[in-house]
Amino acid sequence: MGSQRKKKEKKKDFVKPKLKVGKTKPKATSYTELGFRAKAIGIPEQSITKTHTSRETFDHHLSLARHHSHSARREALAYLQAHLPEEVDSSLFTSISPLILDPTPTVRAAVLSLVRAIPTSSLAPHVHLISLYIHSGMTHLAPDIRADSSKFLLFVLKAEDADIPMQLVTRSWEKTLHCFGSLLGWDLASPPPPGSSIPAGSGNWNKVGNATSIDRIANAAGHLDALSFFLRLGLSENLTPEMQAQREVPVYHADTSKHLIPRNATAPYARLGLFVEDKSRRWTAVSSTEDIGARYQLLKGMLPGILAGLDSGRRQGGEIGRKCKYLIDFLDKVKSETEKLQ
């Protein structure tokens, strides 16, 4: 009995109702009446998005500088440049400095544009951090990153505030020279013996930058411009009397000898190597070379390798040959004038 009733109820679901002419079609059981009217609709918040302050938005785009997408990084850098605050704190330099080594060329170009827009007063305290990534770029495995490294270096060297380039010169003189040797393919540790010559173009002139030879020559010329500017800042091309005075032998105090270890004394701590120069050290983390004489003494050991590399570029001719010839003449002038003062 119960089963018959269930069968009849199931059949009702499949029975098609018969419509009569002039009669309204019956409404579905799931129909919702929408004929009501409301005078007002109350919403707790008129805006579904939270209103951020300018600093919060700036910090948000600052975090996007580490985004995995290169387009997001580039757009974030463009926003940061357009909304730079009057006083830039260290968080900006901490976020954008690693992008000097970014694999995408457009991102590196955006970083360079942003750094140029930063006031020099805010840039000066962070030169050491930026120089660390510039040195990494000069010795990077990717050729295009190495090619762009001299652009960042030239920006630092040509800064309006004289304290900015001199920080790089006095603190990283030796390290920067070694990075130039790696960048240009020069062997500064073991230069060719005197009297021998290396083939023209045997340096890194034809291995710098992108695929086309025009780009390679342009990149090599940019490296030479940076090297020329760096050497002229450190060694002073136009020697004034004040600069010449810096090259003179320093005057020590009269009692200096009393505080030095006598040369004929025994050396009980010689095994520790405390007073022996470490020959395996290529450069110090921070080489403080405040005077021109100290910088030239560091350059003197690398000078044969630098002159050999410049001579190969000079014999190649063209724009690279002209720039190499200028540097050779400048270094010869500095060498002769320095030896006169010693």
Side-chain angles (χ1 to χ4, degrees):
M1 188 70 180
S3 61
Q4 292 294 334
R5 185 167 58 252
K6 290 182 180 180
K7 289 180 180 180
K8 290 181 180 181
E9 291 177 356
K10 287 182 179 180
K11 287 181 180 181
K12 291 180 181 180
D13 297 334
F14 301 96
V15 175
K16 186 177 180 180
K18 295 181 179 181
L19 303 178
K20 297 181 180 180
V21 180
K23 298 292 183 179
T24 306
K25 182 180 178 180
K27 298 179 181 180
T29 56
S30 60
Y31 174 77
T32 302
E33 180 63 36
L34 300 177
F36 60 88
R37 293 183 178 181
K39 294 182 179 180
I41 299 177
I43 300 178
E45 294 183 5
Q46 296 295 330
S47 177
I48 61 175
T49 60
K50 182 182 177 181
T51 303
H52 296 276
T53 61
S54 58
R55 182 62 193 182
E56 290 176 345
T57 308
F58 187 85
D59 292 340
H60 171 68
H61 285 83
L62 198 61
S63 65
L64 292 178
R66 298 184 294 271
H67 199 271
H68 62 86
S69 174
H70 64 88
S71 60
R73 296 195 299 271
R74 184 179 64 251
E75 293 173 359
L77 292 171
Y79 177 89
L80 295 176
Q81 181 177 350
H83 299 82
L84 274 176
E86 295 181 359
E87 296 182 1
V88 182
D89 54 12
S90 59
S91 61
L92 177 65
F93 295 95
T94 305
S95 300
I96 67 174
S97 295
L99 297 181
I100 297 176
L101 310 177
D102 196 275
T104 307
T106 55
V107 176
R108 294 196 301 273
V111 175
L112 183 59
S113 178
L114 173 58
V115 173
R116 286 173 175 169
I118 297 175
T120 55
S121 59
S122 300
L123 181 64
H126 306 283
V127 175
H128 182 63
L129 175 63
I130 297 176
S131 64
L132 290 177
Y133 288 97
I134 293 176
H135 292 147
S136 298
M138 296 172 72
T139 57
H140 204 275
L141 294 177
D144 54 341
I145 295 179
R146 293 199 306 270
D148 286 345
S149 62
S150 59
K151 299 177 182 178
F152 292 95
L153 182 59
L154 272 174
F155 163 74
V156 174
L157 295 175
K158 293 183 178 181
E160 296 179 358
D161 188 356
D163 180 60
I164 294 177
M166 290 311 297
Q167 284 189 51
L168 182 64
V169 170
T170 57
R171 297 182 181 181
S172 305
W173 173 258
E174 186 180 5
K175 184 174 182 179
T176 306
L177 289 175
H178 278 285
C179 288
F180 269 116
S182 176
L183 182 64
L184 297 170
W186 299 343
D187 189 2
L188 304 183
S190 55
S196 62
S197 61
I198 56 178
S202 62
N204 209 21
W205 314 115
N206 298 323
K207 301 178 182 179
V208 179
N210 302 322
T212 62
S213 59
I214 298 177
D215 291 335
R216 290 170 181 168
I217 294 175
N219 292 328
H223 299 332
L224 288 174
D225 288 339
L227 177 61
S228 176
F229 214 91
F230 181 73
L231 291 175
R232 283 190 285 117
L233 279 175
L235 301 175
S236 300
E237 181 177 10
N238 299 319
L239 297 177
T240 62
E242 292 78 9
M243 295 176 180
Q244 291 181 356
Q246 292 182 8
R247 294 192 176 197
E248 297 179 357
V249 179
V251 179
Y252 297 102
H253 193 270
D255 296 334
T256 300
S257 59
K258 298 179 181 180
H259 304 282
L260 298 178
I261 299 177
R263 294 187 177 182
N264 57 355
T266 58
Y269 302 106
R271 59 185 177 83
L272 300 178
L274 299 177
F275 307 102
V276 180
E277 183 181 359
D278 186 5
K279 300 298 183 180
S280 62
R281 178 185 62 84
R282 294 188 61 190
W283 58 71
T284 57
V286 179
S287 297
S288 180
T289 49
E290 298 292 339
D291 60 289
I292 299 175
R295 290 194 287 271
Y296 179 77
Q297 290 301 321
L298 286 174
L299 175 67
K300 193 174 181 180
M302 297 178 277
L303 197 56
I306 294 176
L307 291 175
L310 291 174
D311 184 64
S312 69
R314 178 187 60 81
R315 287 182 278 120
Q316 183 175 340
E319 183 182 6
I320 293 177
R322 291 191 298 270
K323 294 180 182 297
C324 290
K325 178 64 168 59
Y326 170 79
L327 275 174
I328 291 174
D329 295 340
F330 167 65
L331 291 175
D332 288 341
K333 177 183 176 182
V334 171
K335 181 179 179 181
S336 61
E337 293 183 355
T338 305
E339 291 177 351
K340 291 178 182 178
L341 297 172
Q342 291 179 349

